[in-house]
Amino acid sequence: METDIRNQCIAFVLFGATGNLSQRLIIPALFNLFLDGYLPERFCLIGVDRSEIDSDQLRALYRNAVAQHSRRQPRDDATWQSFAKLFEYRTANLLKTESYVELRDRLEKQQQIWCSSVVHLFYMATPPSLFAPIAQGLAAAGLGKEHSPARLVVEKPMGNDLDTFRALNDVLTDTFDEPQIFRMDHFLGKETVQNVLAMRFANPLFEPIWNRRYIDHVAITVAESGGIGSRGGYYEQAGALRDMIQNHLMQLLCLVAMEPPATYDADDVRNKKMDVLRAIRPIPPELVHEFAARGQYDHGWMAGVEAAGYREEAGVKADSNTETFAAMKLYVDNWRWQGVPFYLRTGKRLAMDVAEISVRFQDVPHHSFPDVVGLNAEPTRLVIQIQPEQGIVLKFTAKEPGFHIRLHPVAMRFNYREAFRTEVPEAYETLLWDIMAGDPTLFMRADQVEAAWKLVEPVLNAWERNPAPDFPNYAAGSWGPESAEALVARNGDSWLAPTH
Ligand code: BG6
């Protein structure tokens, strides 16, 4: 959506202003938007939290946040000062109604200063237990549904399962209208992820072969080398399935599998994704072991440094049953994808940081070359590299130079940085810009979140009912548990090494 947001008036209310998410992601993203001239001239950020600090202390905190987490730094002090003067801080107890009444008064004052219709953007960068109280507090103060230029931004975790998601969503949709609610899945803001649709639907080349007749399977890997760090408290309640598969990996699957939308309008795109989620074959509770695998990292060696096991991390129970690795095999029951497995895997403390979608094409129907000639040949694959490499690699087979016919795997590459010679914005920059522009295309509609919870729920339940007898079952620095290999080996497949 091409919208000029620079003429708008935006009051950005950041709940949880002193928290980790604000400092690590939101403020650095806003700073980069500011540097590029993407913030409206009439923009203010009202930070709200319970810490007893003042606006100057908030500015100092954010100066440090930008120094540590932003992809660019202020050119000089004047640049920083012009950004810093956009924000102010208010101490508030978010469980008390008065806090929202005071906030409303402050927003009304801003309206009088700007003499214009101000868009109120309420960003909940708080612990999830505050999502419902904030939405209710805002609505009770007259800042919710009836107040049309308002947007509410919700981060994950959105519930812990289907029931808790529904309960939270009921509160959100009682207090705000669905189009006002922006549910974040930050993977959707990544350039390379958005490019999946551009690649598929802006080129005539891929679509004719993008189906069960030519594709053998799709493997989606999001591997992280880091452990859970200081997030033990959160992670113990979450685990890899909730933390990554229910949202990020499921969305990647939707982008690979969806039908072409009639237009790039938010609901056209989201309806097509919804069709995929509805077509995914539910996993029968008694067959969870055939469709899902779990793991938990043990101590191990990573680049010559010893890494602690999950159960030794701060905030983690000594006998924790939480999975730090999860893999799933899913089938999309429709005409395009019948019988094609989609493998999803993600984990902490894996061998490297890499996120990629590997589309493996079927073998040729007939091998004309003598066997020995094709020894080195590999199946044709299209790899969409999400991070750290950003690009697309087509792996195919070519003839080696020389008098004999020998086949060898080769690659054709597209790389973002080389092709566009520009820095790629962070996902949060894209998403914050979209929220300000009021474009919900890259945000989760409630039905999508609900469908994703339904799909993972049989696995969550089975894993909770039956604690893993073999945890911890993979060494830090490895590629995860053997059961993940077995999951795909049952179909005669294997996880291929990430593409360089
Ligand atoms: C978050 C998860 O949603 O995504 C984290 O909660 C994970 O556990 C992170 O590390 C990965 O995102 P990115 O953008 O750093 O790859």
Side-chain angles (χ1 to χ4, degrees), residues 155-158 184-190 193 220-222 224 231 234 240-255 273 277 344-346 348 355 357 386-387 427-428 431 444 452 456:
E155 282 275 353
K156 69 180 238 294
M158 293 173 223
M184 295 284 280
D185 183 319
H186 80 280
F187 263 56
L188 296 179
K190 292 180 192 273
V193 172
I220 304 178
T221 297
V222 181
E224 294 180 279
R231 297 168 78 216
Y234 154 75
L241 196 60
R242 287 189 178 91
D243 187 47
M244 299 291 289
I245 292 198
Q246 187 269 346
N247 35 69
H248 308 321
L249 279 86
M250 210 62 102
Q251 282 298 307
L252 295 178
L253 186 160
C254 286
L255 292 170
K273 287 198 202 168
L277 291 167
L344 274 45
R345 69 171 167 172
T346 186
K348 304 277 185 198
I357 301 168
I386 295 167
Q387 56 195 31
Y428 269 78
L431 295 174
M444 306 285 292
V456 297

Side-chain angles (χ1 to χ4, degrees), residues 45-67:
L45 182 136
I46 304 172
V48 184
D49 217 329
R50 59 182 176 187
S51 321
E52 302 274 347
I53 57 168
D54 61 21
S55 298
D56 281 337
Q57 286 167 301
L58 184 79
R59 292 186 187 109
L61 194 72
Y62 286 174
R63 179 70 194 86
N64 190 31
V66 165

Side-chain angles (χ1 to χ4, degrees), residues 90-336:
R90 306 175 75 80
T91 305
N93 180 338
L94 293 173
L95 296 173
K96 294 215 162 132
T97 3
E98 308 88 86
S99 305
Y100 302 93
V101 175
E102 282 166 26
L103 182 64
R104 184 193 59 209
D105 294 346
R106 169 68 191 88
L107 291 170
E108 277 171 3
K109 218 171 90 202
Q110 198 60 42
Q111 186 110 8
Q112 285 155 15
I113 298 170
W114 282 336
C115 298
S116 185
S117 142
V118 180
V119 176
H120 296 159
L121 210 154
F122 301 113
Y123 201 121
M124 302 196 283
T126 60
S129 57
L130 287 172
F131 295 166
I134 292 175
Q136 284 161 329
L138 289 170
L143 293 166
K145 243 189 213 198
E146 283 78 34
H147 171 78
S148 62
R151 287 169 205 153
L152 183 72
V153 187
V154 195
E155 282 275 353
K156 69 180 238 294
M158 293 173 223
N160 208 37
D161 55 19
L162 187 57
D163 287 346
T164 48
F165 168 71
R166 282 182 172 154
L168 168 67
N169 201 49
D170 284 349
V171 175
L172 300 186
T173 49
D174 276 352
T175 48
F176 287 81
D177 286 325
E178 177 67 30
Q180 295 180 295
I181 305 172
F182 287 72
R183 298 181 192 79
M184 295 284 280
D185 183 319
H186 80 280
F187 263 56
L188 296 179
K190 292 180 192 273
E191 279 294 330
T192 37
V193 172
Q194 293 181 71
N195 193 43
V196 175
L197 293 192
M199 184 207 81
R200 287 190 56 201
F201 302 138
N203 300 289
L205 188 63
F206 303 108
E207 221 24 44
I209 53 169
W210 209 254
N211 56 50
R212 62 191 297 274
R213 290 181 60 202
Y214 296 97
I215 292 178
D216 183 81
H217 69 260
V218 176
I220 304 178
T221 297
V222 181
E224 294 180 279
S225 63
I228 49 119
S230 56
R231 297 168 78 216
Y234 154 75
Y235 204 85
E236 275 286 88
Q237 308 303 315
L241 196 60
R242 287 189 178 91
D243 187 47
M244 299 291 289
I245 292 198
Q246 187 269 346
N247 35 69
H248 308 321
L249 279 86
M250 210 62 102
Q251 282 298 307
L252 295 178
L253 186 160
C254 286
L255 292 170
V256 174
M258 69 188 257
E259 295 300 320
T263 71
Y264 196 63
D265 278 356
D267 274 329
D268 274 356
V269 173
R270 298 189 297 178
N271 288 342
K272 294 296 180 197
K273 287 198 202 168
M274 222 12 241
D275 287 347
V276 176
L277 291 167
R278 284 173 39 226
I280 294 177
R281 191 181 304 166
I283 297 182
E286 66 286 4
L287 293 182
V288 164
H289 58 284
E290 283 186 24
F291 291 92
R294 59 180 153 168
Q296 186 187 72
Y297 61 84
D298 202 348
H299 62 86
W301 291 87
M302 309 213 39
V305 179
E306 193 165 13
Y310 178 68
R311 290 179 177 183
E312 293 146 351
E313 305 272 22
V316 173
K317 287 205 288 287
D319 60 349
S320 172
N321 181 44
T322 301
E323 81 285 356
T324 59
F325 176 102
M328 279 178 103
K329 172 164 46 178
L330 295 171
Y331 288 93
V332 181
D333 283 337
N334 60 18
W335 276 52
R336 189 191 280 263

